[in-house]
Amino acid sequence: MKMTRNTTSLRRSNQEGAAAEIMTSGSPLLPGQGQELHIPLSSQAVFWRPRHPAASRTLGQLPFLFWLLGTVRPRLIVQFGLGDGVAYMGLCQASERLGDSAICMGIQASEPLLPAAMRDQHDAHYSDFSELLAADLTTAARRLDGDIDLLVLNQPLEVADLARLQSAWLPRLSDRSVILVCNPDAVFPDTSARESLLPLNNSLFIAPVSAGGHAMEVILHGKDPAERLLALAAQRPGTPAYLGSRQVFKRLGHAVEATQSAADAGKVRDQLQRSQQSMEAALKARDVELKDRQAEVAAARAAEAAEVSQRANMLARQYDLEQVLSAREQEIAALKSVRAELETQLKKLEDQSRLRATEHAAEVDAARLQDA
């Protein structure tokens, strides 16, 4: 891997006002009498505000991670396993902030290497000195030039991975190299695997466990580590300086987590407010729609009432006409009866007239016979 950085454009002054970046949700434990806590508190890096915060068990470890990079000043950083990306993005942020022309390399066997939004941020801010590589440990070893000052282990290591790490990567560590193990219980399958790879006689100390239960183990692998690391590693559990240092990092980590929790709560609140506004707008629209529907129903009912009234009038008119028709039919029936009687009487008269005519004719014929 051959990458360069424009240190002039990336270098930022370490003399910027630290007050703008000190966490507002909590203050670190100040040293008491006889406690030598100048090691963590002397570095402005512990007060840097994370640029890429996210819900992660590693979030509370970022102040310690910033301090570690400010102390080691690595020239080449390699991380195996990117996880949720918070640790690697913190390494990139610290490398850019320190302006030491450090090169970063993140290696993971499977895609996606980073969450989509975080990958966009990485490419926008750090792609000139950071490379993400989807490869196994053997393939990635061929892509690397130079000695490694900081090796970060952030993925479970199987037996084959441990062998590759020991044969291909540990020989590439520099004399001042440091190995950072994120959540050692998850990285090493068992204690014997860790001891076979990194003997216990290496100087080491464990960073304070974050609120999310995530620990970091720092192993001073090189023969010439930074004096501050040696000083901190020399503090044994139970001593005031040891406990005080852990409390400083713990308070700073909790402040970062509290700030993120507040930001997340603010986002949830804003989302709820937007949802409420959307619901209120929807309710108003429903009210308007309901009123329109009520007006339509009222108009339909009025039209129906008018139609019912018209139909009733028509039925009444039909009834009246039927009554008139019935009366007319009765009158016609009566007239037909009268007509039949008249026709009968007329027939009788016609029969009587014919009878009389016959009788008259007979009388006339009889009279003529007498006269003759």
Side-chain angles (χ1 to χ4, degrees), residues 43-65:
S43 172
Q44 292 186 12
V46 297
F47 301 110
W48 290 346
R49 186 183 301 276
R51 183 186 291 172
H52 314 283
S56 170
R57 294 186 302 171
T58 309
L59 185 62
Q61 297 286 7
L62 288 184
F64 176 78
L65 193 64

Side-chain angles (χ1 to χ4, degrees), residues 198-348:
L198 305 167
L200 289 176
N201 59 358
N202 290 47
S203 299
L204 63 87
F205 62 90
I206 299 177
V209 176
S210 68
H214 197 279
M216 284 189 174
E217 181 180 11
V218 178
I219 302 170
L220 308 185
H221 184 272
K223 62 182 180 180
D224 188 22
E227 291 184 3
R228 286 186 177 182
L229 290 179
L230 287 174
L232 191 56
Q235 303 300 326
R236 297 293 88 189
T239 62
Y242 177 87
L243 295 177
S245 298
R246 286 175 63 88
Q247 287 179 335
V248 167
F249 288 122
K250 183 177 181 179
R251 292 286 183 86
L252 291 169
H254 285 181
V256 172
E257 292 171 336
T259 300
Q260 181 61 23
S261 297
D264 292 340
K267 292 179 181 178
V268 172
R269 180 199 59 204
D270 294 342
Q271 184 177 2
L272 290 175
Q273 289 178 346
R274 289 193 295 269
S275 298
Q276 181 180 1
Q277 293 172 355
S278 177
M279 291 178 63
E280 290 175 352
L283 286 175
K284 290 181 180 179
R286 290 293 179 86
D287 288 341
V288 172
E289 182 180 358
L290 180 59
K291 290 179 180 179
D292 292 342
R293 292 290 178 86
Q294 289 174 342
E296 292 177 1
V297 170
R301 288 178 177 174
E304 183 180 4
E307 183 179 357
V308 170
S309 177
Q310 183 180 6
R311 184 177 299 175
N313 291 335
M314 292 177 64
L315 290 174
R317 179 62 177 167
Q318 181 181 356
Y319 178 77
D320 292 342
L321 292 175
E322 288 176 351
Q323 294 298 316
V324 172
L325 178 60
S326 177
R328 293 293 184 270
E329 289 177 348
Q330 291 177 3
E331 291 177 359
I332 291 173
L335 290 174
K336 287 182 177 180
S337 178
V338 171
R339 179 180 176 182
E341 292 178 358
L342 290 176
E343 288 179 347
T344 302
Q345 292 177 4
L346 179 59
K347 185 177 181 181
K348 288 180 179 181

Side-chain angles (χ1 to χ4, degrees), residues 340-371:
E341 292 178 358
L342 290 176
E343 288 179 347
T344 302
Q345 292 177 4
L346 179 59
K347 185 177 181 181
K348 288 180 179 181
L349 292 174
E350 288 177 349
D351 292 341
Q352 291 176 1
S353 176
R354 285 193 295 271
L355 180 59
R356 287 179 181 178
T358 304
E359 291 177 350
H360 179 69
E363 289 177 355
V364 172
D365 290 341
R368 286 179 179 172
L369 291 174
Q370 288 176 3
D371 289 343

